[in-house]
Amino acid sequence: MAARQATVTRKTNETNIEVSVDLDCAPGTNRTQTIEVSTGIGFLDHMYNALAKHGGWSLTMKCKGDFALALGTAFKNALGEVRGIRRYGTGHAPLDEALARAVIDISSRPYCVTDLGLKREKLGDLSTEMIPHIFHSFAMAAGVTLHVDVLRGENDHHRAESAFKALALAIRQAIERTGGSDVPSTKGVL
């Protein structure tokens, strides 16, 4: 099976980003999972660590600027032609009183809906209005349809973290190899 890995580098006057992903590092794959994230925002590093850990990816991110686009691009490049995968994924993740749901369709039809219900202005140094933006940017760059909802929870930290973990589980399910080589679409193309 072909390795599903990619690296994206982007340098502009406002950004300096390097993102590398390996989508096949889940337990049981005989591949070592390595996660090194440095966005300059501690809470965001924590969220990307959770995304990679529970998604079964290796992830290296060194960023200054809008990194969600680069992560989405690296994900799309690593996945390659959409063949022999489940395509759809659903994940639910609790964190104490919070419960989140994420649903993804690797469809080449980018769209994103989020309902996180965050009330605080910031989580650490991360502006909470950036969290839906991160999901949206990832979906647009990756070419996926994505829905992320927090179903309940009082603590915004728990709400946000459960959302990232639910997304990780949904992605992990959607990119699971089926053993075939078919395009998972009645159209025959994605």
Side-chain angles (χ1 to χ4, degrees), residues 11-172:
K11 281 189 174 190
T12 69
N13 290 337
E14 298 175 349
T15 61
N16 186 0
I17 300 167
E18 183 174 336
V19 178
S20 297
V21 297
D22 181 340
L23 300 178
D24 297 311
C25 295
T29 60
N30 296 323
R31 297 178 72 150
T32 302
Q33 185 179 42
T34 304
I35 302 170
E36 297 174 11
V37 178
S38 178
T39 65
I41 303 170
F43 185 78
L44 190 56
D45 291 355
H46 178 46
M47 295 302 98
Y48 279 125
N49 268 279
L51 181 67
K53 178 66 177 174
H54 299 289
W57 310 354
S58 280
L59 174 64
T60 302
M61 292 180 81
K62 297 172 187 160
C63 309
K64 178 188 148 208
D66 194 349
F67 31 80
L69 289 170
L71 179 60
T73 302
F75 173 84
K76 184 176 185 174
N77 293 349
L79 195 56
E81 187 179 9
V82 182
R83 288 184 167 276
I85 63 167
R86 290 183 62 163
R87 177 180 166 183
Y88 299 99
T90 302
H92 288 83
L95 180 56
D96 296 339
E97 86 296 347
L99 175 63
R101 168 185 58 206
V103 181
I104 191 169
D105 176 7
I106 300 175
S107 61
S108 298
R109 295 169 57 113
Y111 199 82
C112 184
V113 177
T114 60
D115 185 3
L116 307 179
L118 300 173
K119 297 176 182 87
R120 291 173 51 186
E121 185 177 327
K122 287 189 160 201
L123 291 168
D125 290 331
L126 178 64
S127 171
T128 55
E129 70 183 4
M130 290 303 296
I131 297 172
H133 172 71
I134 289 165
F135 291 141
H136 181 267
S137 294
F138 175 81
M140 295 303 112
V144 302
T145 299
L146 178 62
H147 292 257
V148 182
D149 311 278
V150 177
L151 305 174
R152 66 181 58 90
E154 298 300 318
N155 181 305
D156 277 357
H157 178 135
H158 295 169
R159 292 175 73 87
E161 188 169 345
S162 67
F164 275 88
K165 288 178 177 177
L167 176 58
L169 296 173
I171 290 171
R172 188 171 174 172

